[in-house]
Amino acid sequence: MRADLLVRGISQLVTAEGAEPKRGAAMRELKVGEHAALAIVGGNFVWVGPERDWSGDAGETIDAGGCAVVPGLVDPHTHAVWAGDRLADFEARLNGVTYEAILATGGGIRSTIRATAAATEEQLVALALPRITALVRSGATTIEVKSGYGSTAEAELRMLRAIHALAAQAPAWIVPTLLIHVPPKEAAEREAYVRIVCEEMIPRAAREKLAQAVDVFVERGAWSVAEAERMLTAARAHGLRTKLHTEQFHRVGGLELGVKVGALSVDHLEACSAEQVAMLAASSTIATILPGVTLHLGLPAAPGRKLIDAGAAVAIGTDLNPGSSPLYSMQMALALAVRLNGLTAQEALIAGTANAAAALGLRDAGRIEPGLPADFAVLHGADWRELVYTLGANPVRDVWIGGQRVEATA
Amino acid sequence: MRADLLVRGISQLVTAEGAEPKRGAAMRELKVGEHAALAIVGGNFVWVGPERDWSGDAGETIDAGGCAVVPGLVDPHTHAVWAGDRLADFEARLNGVTYEAILATGGGIRSTIRATAAATEEQLVALALPRITALVRSGATTIEVKSGYGSTAEAELRMLRAIHALAAQAPAWIVPTLLIHVPPKEAAEREAYVRIVCEEMIPRAAREKLAQAVDVFVERGAWSVAEAERMLTAARAHGLRTKLHTEQFHRVGGLELGVKVGALSVDHLEACSAEQVAMLAASSTIATILPGVTLHLGLPAAPGRKLIDAGAAVAIGTDLNPGSSPLYSMQMALALAVRLNGLTAQEALIAGTANAAAALGLRDAGRIEPGLPADFAVLHGADWRELVYTLGANPVRDVWIGGQRVEATA
């Protein structure tokens, strides 16, 4: 075999093994190969194994220097495109001001919607690029980015176009999602907005290939289960996949809707019940947990341990956004999940790689296997567990996407 | 006035104002000066004020580019010198193994003591340097480092010598502390060890100027209040300052001892009572909280909010160590303290600068004032609150120590 590039001297080569998560079982386990090497042709892995078993030629050989290699992390849930900041909100909340009072004085999510509306598409891309770069430095190679800071069809579609422009410039694979986030303030306007979503936004997003999935925020004060069902049904009718933000603050039943419509994932789940855990475990929908929100807002953690013990497939995301999770690192999301959600180190790595890819409907990301894109991270140390152990420093040394080194950190 | 260096274009220049913490009041407040500049001569600040008020000459002028400047952070509590790792312990704990079982199978702190004993002084320095560099990148310019992974006088003094060698190489001011950490396993040997501490280790550390303070770990299973009192009394008799690790897991009364002997600080405090909070507030001893331990071990948080409301002066440290706080960032320690301990952003910055300096007995660190060493950090953004808001990325751009730029981060 002749490879473009051989990476040798890998102390531990770590990847998830096993089938796609499916009904009744989180099927994957972590495999750690020692003294390993990997070979790349045309941006894809073509060979992975013990270094002593490599017998081919390579155009270029790189020595990993006895460091560990993990799959490129997959961040399956971000709101990385926004304008403005929420520092005043943050300070007010630390000083004891309630979220309702912050909203009433013009802060909160509606201030982000206003600032995002006031920015040009170019400005939105310029603001988002360093956020994506920070996530890449933390080991992420595939990153989902949602719209959701619009309050009209034009505003949401403009956000999706900004995400596409971002994808063209960012050193990562970007997966765009149309998020239906904040309902109109006036109850009388909700019905009209749902129709705009179903009859204009979703059809246009599908036709113009602006999104791969539609996500709806189901919560008291946001969208109801019935409204979400109409929107997600429209999404499926137009060939788009579905996701939900649900069971974040209250047990609202979006989880059941997600299972019913075959959603790729239901995200948040801080408020979900034991019955809902069992229902999710009996489905093929991924449970995406977002520990940055738990840390930032001081809310209860999603029951990651219980979900896995029940047999659900768990993914981890940063939920990067200015209001509830200013978390710019997938590495730290994994590090938080083992501390706040009860995952083991192995479970966290699977949740941040193969399962996170499944939460995006991707079969070709999050694993190091021949035939898949050569997306991987080389750590500073020899033991891959440093990836979830380390707090406040970056254990990731180099990040490779499609066989190209895109980031090298100190 | 002629300055060696003028730094202009500072959006916000932030520093603690007010007197040293003293009995009955945390005296400091945060001052934020806008459109500011600072001037340096011979490594010290000589002038600080609104940029329009500067009328001197400068050998060199640097434009901060509209970014915020904060004092160099002071990390008042680390165990940054160790050998070996605790990754197997960490993994076992995530898999549900108890700390007692980990200790029984050769893990835990005694494994760090063994590995540290097996390393040469040069190896200890080489292992510690990147840890110090990580702390500096996070904004720290003064860092306390404790001994404590020795179990003989020679081992502890060797650790202190390694800390001195580290201080000579590290891009930060290093403050060494003699920590009396783990008692002998056999109860019959404790009395002899206390005598060695009082009659050999403390006198030698003082005579050879190897430590500025003595710290004792008071806890069930560690040292008793009575034993600690003998050791801290010896420390004072030899002109050394005193500190305690106390009220971490149980209300053991080391706090009362700290107040009685006039300790610089009592550290941890997760288990302290309302009466102890009041007692500390009525003293001049600093309350040092260590939120990394709260996150890493999932233990209750120290009552930071109650301490400040009662009038105590609170400092924040990383507690960097391999077993209970693998936290390599003072920035993240501040970010955790506002989320886990209830501090405001302003209180966190004072706690990580001026109050942390006071916890080390330093009057010349942690503030930006004429006459003090020019230790400061330039942030990436214009709003200093990003220092405590940001999770998982480094909001610190450049770190300056004694008027020299020592780190510049991406």
Side-chain angles (χ1 to χ4, degrees):
Chain A
M1 183 186 293
R2 179 166 175 85
D4 298 339
L5 177 67
L6 178 75
V7 181
R8 55 171 295 278
I10 299 170
S11 61
Q12 298 179 331
L13 193 150
V14 182
T15 190
E17 269 199 324
E20 282 277 293
K22 62 180 184 182
R23 291 188 187 283
M27 299 290 290
R28 288 172 166 138
E29 297 211 333
L30 206 68
K31 176 186 169 189
V32 180
E34 304 204 328
H35 306 296
L38 59 85
I40 297 169
V41 171
N44 289 338
F45 299 119
V46 290
W47 182 89
V48 180
E51 185 175 334
R52 63 173 180 275
D53 293 352
W54 169 254
S55 60
D57 297 322
E60 187 183 5
T61 298
I62 284 181
D63 190 332
C67 293
V69 166
V70 300
L73 304 180
V74 177
D75 189 345
H77 186 134
T78 86
H79 308 253
V81 171
W82 78 83
D85 71 67
R86 299 276 282 279
L87 290 165
D89 293 2
F90 170 69
E91 185 179 3
R93 191 164 56 75
L94 295 181
N95 284 284
V97 181
T98 65
Y99 188 70
E100 289 70 24
I102 291 170
L103 267 180
T105 53
I109 193 168
R110 292 189 194 278
S111 73
T112 300
I113 291 174
R114 283 193 304 274
T116 303
T120 66
E121 190 181 309
E122 291 69 29
Q123 287 171 329
L124 292 177
V125 174
L127 288 165
L129 257 176
R131 299 170 192 150
I132 297 295
T133 300
L135 290 172
V136 171
R137 285 197 187 124
S138 79
T141 55
T142 299
I143 299 167
E144 189 254 23
V145 184
K146 302 178 193 292
S147 73
Y149 296 128
S151 52
T152 64
E154 271 318 310
E156 290 295 350
L157 294 168
R158 195 174 76 104
M159 278 197 76
L160 289 175
R161 285 191 294 269
I163 294 167
H164 276 260
L166 177 67
Q169 296 178 46
W173 308 107
I174 301 291
V175 179
T177 298
L178 170 61
L179 170 60
I180 309 304
H181 204 170
V182 182
K185 282 184 191 167
E186 302 301 325
E189 297 172 11
R190 296 172 73 102
E191 171 61 23
Y193 199 82
V194 171
R195 281 202 207 150
I196 289 169
V197 170
C198 294
E199 297 168 13
E200 184 180 345
M201 291 166 67
I202 288 172
R204 284 184 60 188
R207 192 168 60 237
E208 299 172 27
K209 300 196 188 307
L210 289 173
Q212 299 187 7
V214 176
D215 188 348
V216 180
F217 179 30
V218 177
E219 185 53 69
R220 295 186 196 166
W223 298 101
S224 71
V225 170
E227 290 165 330
E229 184 163 9
R230 289 171 60 194
M231 297 190 271
L232 296 183
T233 301
R236 295 178 67 192
H238 286 86
L240 297 178
R241 308 300 295 267
T242 57
K243 306 174 83 72
L244 292 111
H245 284 63
T246 193
E247 323 308 310
Q248 180 177 7
F249 298 103
H250 302 95
R251 187 179 166 179
V252 288
L255 183 150
E256 286 85 342
L257 173 62
V259 170
K260 178 178 164 184
V261 302
L264 286 171
S265 69
V266 285
D267 300 34
H268 276 296
L269 309 179
E270 290 87 344
C272 81
S273 69
E275 293 74 23
Q276 290 179 310
V277 167
M279 178 179 299
L280 206 48
S283 81
S284 54
T285 294
I286 307 283
T288 299
I289 62 174
L290 306 164
V293 183
T294 303
L295 177 62
H296 186 62
L297 297 185
L299 295 177
R305 178 79 264 134
K306 288 179 183 168
L307 283 159
I308 291 175
D309 287 344
V314 169
I316 298 166
T318 61
D319 196 11
L320 173 60
N321 80 80
S324 64
S325 186
L327 174 57
Y328 294 80
S329 165
M330 259 305 276
Q331 181 272 330
M332 184 164 157
L334 304 191
L336 290 176
V338 301
R339 276 119 177 151
L340 302 178
N341 304 93
L343 272 63
T344 68
Q346 287 79 1
E347 290 161 352
L349 189 58
I350 294 169
T353 56
N355 285 1
L360 296 176
L362 301 175
R363 291 169 175 274
D364 62 352
R367 285 170 294 137
I368 298 177
E369 280 176 25
L372 301 187
D375 304 342
F376 60 98
V378 183
L379 306 189
H380 281 290
D383 193 318
W384 75 269
R385 297 171 297 187
E386 291 181 3
L387 187 69
V388 288
Y389 168 78
T390 306
L391 296 173
N394 190 2
V396 173
R397 193 184 79 190
D398 302 326
V399 179
W400 294 70
I401 298 181
Q404 302 290 323
R405 180 155 40 191
V406 295
E407 281 289 336
T409 61
Chain B
M1 183 185 295
R2 181 167 174 82
D4 299 338
L5 175 68
L6 178 75
V7 180
R8 55 170 294 278
I10 299 170
S11 60
Q12 299 178 331
L13 194 150
V14 182
T15 190
E17 268 199 326
E20 282 278 293
K22 62 180 184 183
R23 290 188 188 281
M27 298 291 289
R28 289 173 166 138
E29 296 210 335
L30 207 68
K31 176 186 170 188
V32 180
E34 304 204 328
H35 305 296
L38 60 84
I40 297 169
V41 171
N44 289 338
F45 299 119
V46 291
W47 182 91
V48 179
E51 185 175 333
R52 65 174 179 275
D53 292 352
W54 169 255
S55 60
D57 298 320
E60 185 184 6
T61 297
I62 284 181
D63 190 333
C67 294
V69 166
V70 300
L73 304 180
V74 178
D75 189 344
H77 187 134
T78 85
H79 307 254
V81 171
W82 78 83
D85 70 67
R86 299 275 282 278
L87 290 165
D89 293 2
F90 171 67
E91 185 179 5
R93 192 165 55 76
L94 295 181
N95 283 284
V97 181
T98 64
Y99 188 70
E100 289 70 24
I102 291 169
L103 266 182
T105 53
I109 193 168
R110 292 191 194 276
S111 73
T112 300
I113 292 174
R114 281 194 306 274
T116 303
T120 66
E121 190 181 310
E122 292 68 30
Q123 287 171 328
L124 292 177
V125 174
L127 289 165
L129 257 176
R131 299 169 192 151
I132 296 296
T133 301
L135 290 172
V136 171
R137 286 197 187 122
S138 80
T141 53
T142 299
I143 299 167
E144 189 253 23
V145 183
K146 302 178 193 291
S147 72
Y149 295 128
S151 52
T152 64
E154 269 319 309
E156 289 297 348
L157 293 168
R158 195 174 75 106
M159 279 196 75
L160 289 175
R161 284 192 295 269
I163 295 168
H164 275 259
L166 177 67
Q169 296 179 46
W173 307 107
I174 301 292
V175 179
T177 297
L178 170 62
L179 169 61
I180 308 304
H181 204 172
V182 182
K185 283 183 190 169
E186 303 300 326
E189 297 172 9
R190 296 172 73 102
E191 171 61 24
Y193 199 82
V194 171
R195 281 204 207 150
I196 289 169
V197 170
C198 294
E199 296 169 12
E200 184 180 345
M201 291 166 66
I202 289 172
R204 283 184 60 188
R207 193 171 58 240
E208 299 172 27
K209 300 196 189 305
L210 289 173
Q212 299 187 10
V214 175
D215 188 347
V216 180
F217 180 30
V218 177
E219 184 53 70
R220 295 186 196 167
W223 298 103
S224 71
V225 170
E227 289 165 331
E229 183 163 9
R230 287 171 61 194
M231 296 190 271
L232 296 183
T233 301
R236 296 178 67 194
H238 286 86
L240 298 178
R241 308 299 295 266
T242 56
K243 306 173 85 72
L244 294 110
H245 284 63
T246 194
E247 323 307 311
Q248 179 178 8
F249 299 102
H250 302 95
R251 186 179 167 181
V252 288
L255 183 149
E256 286 85 342
L257 172 62
V259 171
K260 178 178 164 186
V261 301
L264 286 170
S265 69
V266 286
D267 300 33
H268 276 294
L269 310 179
E270 290 87 344
C272 82
S273 69
E275 293 73 22
Q276 289 179 310
V277 167
M279 179 179 297
L280 206 46
S283 81
S284 55
T285 294
I286 307 283
T288 299
I289 63 175
L290 306 165
V293 182
T294 303
L295 177 62
H296 186 63
L297 297 185
L299 295 177
R305 178 78 265 133
K306 288 179 184 169
L307 283 159
I308 290 175
D309 287 344
V314 169
I316 297 167
T318 60
D319 196 9
L320 173 59
N321 80 80
S324 63
S325 186
L327 174 57
Y328 294 79
S329 164
M330 258 306 276
Q331 181 272 330
M332 184 165 158
L334 303 190
L336 290 176
V338 301
R339 278 120 175 149
L340 302 178
N341 304 93
L343 272 63
T344 68
Q346 288 78 0
E347 290 162 350
L349 189 58
I350 294 169
T353 56
N355 284 2
L360 296 177
L362 301 174
R363 292 169 174 274
D364 62 352
R367 286 169 293 136
I368 297 176
E369 279 176 26
L372 301 187
D375 303 343
F376 60 100
V378 183
L379 306 189
H380 281 290
D383 193 319
W384 75 269
R385 296 172 297 186
E386 291 182 2
L387 187 69
V388 288
Y389 168 78
T390 305
L391 297 173
N394 190 1
V396 173
R397 193 183 79 189
D398 302 325
V399 179
W400 294 71
I401 299 182
Q404 301 290 322
R405 180 154 42 190
V406 294
E407 281 289 335
T409 62

